[in-house]
Amino acid sequence: MNFMTRNTRTFALSVTVLAALASGCANMSETQKSTAIGAGVGALAGAAIGQGKGAAIGAGVGALGGYVWSTQMQKKKTDMEQATAGTGVAVTQTADNQLQLSIPSDISFDTGRADIKPNLQPILNQFAQGLNNQPNTEIRIVGHTDSTGSDAINNPLSVNRAASARDYLVSRGVEARRIQIDGRGSREPIADNTTDAGRAKNRRIEIYLAERAQG
């Protein structure tokens, strides 16, 4: 199959998916709409991969990532914005309806260390509040480092930082089974690693909260 044929089929699939979303969402609840849209976006992403097989896989991934932005999620975002005002923590809603906290090193961890700073504790305390009343939520914590040092140092350090934040949340009553952790080392910088200011931004943890659509 040549490139032009694939593009034509991709476009046709995109139009079909969008039309289905437009017609099928009319009588849905907000939760159902979010799930359907997630599946549709996944299908379009899969179609962009290449063949029809990719479109089917993409649809499955989109459906699995069917997060919703509920009233509780909006309240949590507002609470976190208030709790972190003036601290440099970025509180955002991601494109797929996750709440993201990006916490820089001057609040979270000293250079080369994985024990959380006292300044981070009130933020994690606020984050933990009310989570047990949101059983459909999932928590993911990702640790990052700057490019100083080798991967042999940075990779486990980033994981240990995420683990420290997880352990603190567990100590505040959040169930450990609801929290996933990951470490990216220095592989995902958000600033220039050749400057002190850039390296400070890259030394961070990101905390994600996502709510699944209820069946």
Side-chain angles (χ1 to χ4, degrees), residues 70-132:
S70 65
T71 302
Q72 288 179 308
M73 289 291 290
Q74 181 59 45
K75 182 179 185 305
K76 175 63 74 174
K77 180 176 184 288
T78 301
D79 290 343
M80 294 313 305
E81 287 171 338
Q82 293 174 351
T84 60
T87 65
V89 174
V91 181
T92 56
Q93 176 185 354
T94 67
D96 63 344
N97 287 330
Q98 296 185 74
L99 175 63
Q100 177 185 355
L101 277 66
S102 185
I103 305 173
S105 62
D106 56 347
I107 296 172
S108 54
F109 301 96
D110 287 323
T111 302
R113 301 291 297 270
D115 48 321
I116 64 174
K117 290 184 177 182
N119 287 347
L120 179 56
Q121 293 178 7
I123 296 172
L124 294 180
N125 290 345
Q126 180 63 55
F127 184 80
Q129 278 189 8
L131 288 184
N132 289 336

Side-chain angles (χ1 to χ4, degrees), residues 104-106 146 148 189-204:
S105 62
D106 56 347
D146 62 31
T148 304
I190 58 173
D192 186 355
N193 268 311
T194 65
T195 67
D196 289 341
R199 286 191 295 272
K201 290 181 179 179
N202 291 332
R203 295 190 301 269
R204 70 196 190 279

Side-chain angles (χ1 to χ4, degrees), residues 10-76:
T10 296
F11 177 77
L13 176 61
S14 300
V15 171
T16 301
V17 170
L18 291 174
L21 285 174
S23 61
C25 288
N27 297 315
M28 290 182 179
S29 67
E30 289 303 315
T31 294
Q32 290 169 326
K33 287 179 184 177
S34 296
T35 304
I37 290 169
V41 171
L44 295 179
I49 292 172
Q51 302 168 2
K53 177 175 64 177
I57 293 172
V61 171
L64 289 174
Y67 300 130
V68 296
W69 191 258
S70 65
T71 302
Q72 288 179 308
M73 289 291 290
Q74 181 59 45
K75 182 179 185 305
K76 175 63 74 174

Side-chain angles (χ1 to χ4, degrees), residues 142-212:
V142 183
H144 300 268
T145 71
D146 62 31
S147 62
T148 304
S150 65
D151 287 345
I153 295 173
N154 290 333
N155 290 342
L157 177 60
S158 64
V159 174
N160 290 338
R161 286 174 170 173
S164 291
R166 174 201 60 197
D167 293 345
Y168 187 87
L169 289 175
V170 170
S171 76
R172 304 303 297 175
V174 181
E175 293 177 304
R177 63 180 180 82
R178 298 173 59 189
I179 307 174
Q180 297 180 348
I181 63 170
D182 191 12
R184 306 289 170 80
S186 61
R187 298 187 297 277
E188 297 182 2
I190 58 173
D192 186 355
N193 268 311
T194 65
T195 67
D196 289 341
R199 286 191 295 272
K201 290 181 179 179
N202 291 332
R203 295 190 301 269
R204 70 196 190 279
I205 60 170
E206 294 168 342
I207 302 179
Y208 296 86
L209 179 68
E211 182 176 334
R212 289 285 182 189

